[in-house]
Amino acid sequence: MLCCAAFAATAGEPVPFNGLLLDAQGRPIRSARVYVSDPEKYARTDKKGRFGLTDVQPTDTIRIRHEKQTYEIPVEGRRSMRIRLFDQLRSEAEESSQLIDFGFSYVRQREYIGYNSRITGEELQRTGCTDILSALSGLIPGVEITEDPENGTYAVSIRGGGYGDNTTPLYVVDDVIVSSLDHLQLAQVAYVVVMKDATVYGFRGANGAIVVRTKSAETARSL
């Protein structure tokens, strides 16, 4: 079975983080971009100033991009935020039990995930899994991974990709196409990029691609 099946039902399950963004006069701010670490994985505030994020950690920092300014607000253990923005990058934030109680129903659409989705090795390890594919199964919407219990192999498909009956994506490690990711440990991974459109690899990328960058490759590139 998937190594993190039990974990995903508890700590590995996405946790809602609800927020409300207001200006200095207490009016909703719409269309602001809100994210944690990856600017390409963000939520936008709606017309009521509401936004939703997923799996925000107590030590994370919320970043808000509004009118060409970026505000940084430490989470400091809060599980929701009612935020007011002032001039000169000044802001104030407080936790709201009401926002917490809404759960996932508060904001239906949460992070926008771009055409490609990037997950760090640290995020993969936090799932409690020991291999890349089972860790990815709970982190990126549209990635479907099932295990064949008889031989322990995985069937993988990326929503939006697929050619004929074969849905298996291309696996690429440090720019080299490989047949599987079984030889890699999560501790070796710097990051993984899931590509719904992998036409950069030609016909072989018709089903999308899971591209892995190892820490050793990143270190070598920086030398």
Side-chain angles (χ1 to χ4, degrees):
M1 63 180 178
L2 289 177
C3 69
C4 54
F7 185 87
T10 54
E13 191 170 282
V15 176
F17 186 94
N18 298 323
L20 183 64
L21 186 62
L22 308 170
D23 65 15
Q25 287 73 44
R27 296 173 302 200
I29 296 175
R30 65 181 302 173
S31 298
R33 183 178 294 203
V34 187
Y35 61 96
V36 177
S37 57
D38 185 352
E40 298 303 318
K41 185 177 180 182
Y42 61 87
R44 281 198 183 276
T45 55
D46 64 12
K47 64 182 180 181
K48 296 182 179 180
R50 305 178 304 177
F51 67 88
L53 299 171
T54 303
D55 271 347
V56 175
Q57 302 300 312
T59 56
D60 283 342
T61 295
I62 299 294
R63 294 171 174 83
I64 299 171
R65 186 69 178 171
H66 175 60
E67 294 184 345
K68 300 182 180 180
Q69 303 285 356
T70 300
Y71 297 76
E72 295 190 355
I73 304 172
V75 174
E76 297 178 337
R78 291 174 286 204
R79 293 177 294 158
S80 74
M81 278 190 186
R82 186 186 303 271
I83 303 168
R84 291 181 68 180
L85 300 185
F86 301 90
D87 295 334
Q88 300 176 342
L89 299 185
R90 189 165 58 91
S91 64
E92 65 179 27
E94 62 180 3
E95 187 175 69
S96 166
S97 58
Q98 183 181 22
L99 294 180
I100 295 172
D101 291 342
F102 277 121
F104 278 111
S105 65
Y106 182 62
V107 180
R108 185 173 299 176
Q109 183 174 353
R110 294 184 177 265
E111 291 101 333
Y112 166 82
I113 298 178
Y115 216 57
N116 302 331
S117 300
R118 172 170 163 158
I119 300 292
T120 66
E122 287 75 15
E123 289 176 285
L124 292 172
Q125 291 185 63
R126 283 204 296 264
T127 65
C129 298
T130 57
D131 66 275
I132 294 172
L133 292 179
S134 54
L136 283 175
S137 65
L139 291 178
I140 300 181
V143 177
E144 299 179 1
I145 300 175
T146 56
E147 184 181 16
D148 184 338
E150 294 186 1
N151 54 29
T153 59
Y154 294 110
V156 184
S157 64
I158 300 173
R159 191 179 306 151
Y163 183 82
D165 295 331
N166 178 22
T167 62
T168 304
L170 195 67
Y171 300 129
V172 183
V173 178
D174 295 337
D175 301 323
V176 177
I177 296 174
V178 297
S179 58
S180 77
L181 303 176
D182 295 343
H183 63 290
L184 287 176
Q185 298 179 353
L186 289 185
Q188 298 175 272
V189 177
Y191 61 84
V192 175
V193 174
V194 177
M195 304 177 67
K196 294 182 180 179
D197 180 1
T199 53
V200 65
Y201 295 105
F203 180 78
R204 292 174 295 179
N207 296 331
I210 296 178
V211 181
V212 180
R213 194 73 175 176
T214 64
K215 293 178 180 177
S216 58
E218 282 292 279
T219 300
R221 187 171 64 175
S222 64
L223 294 178

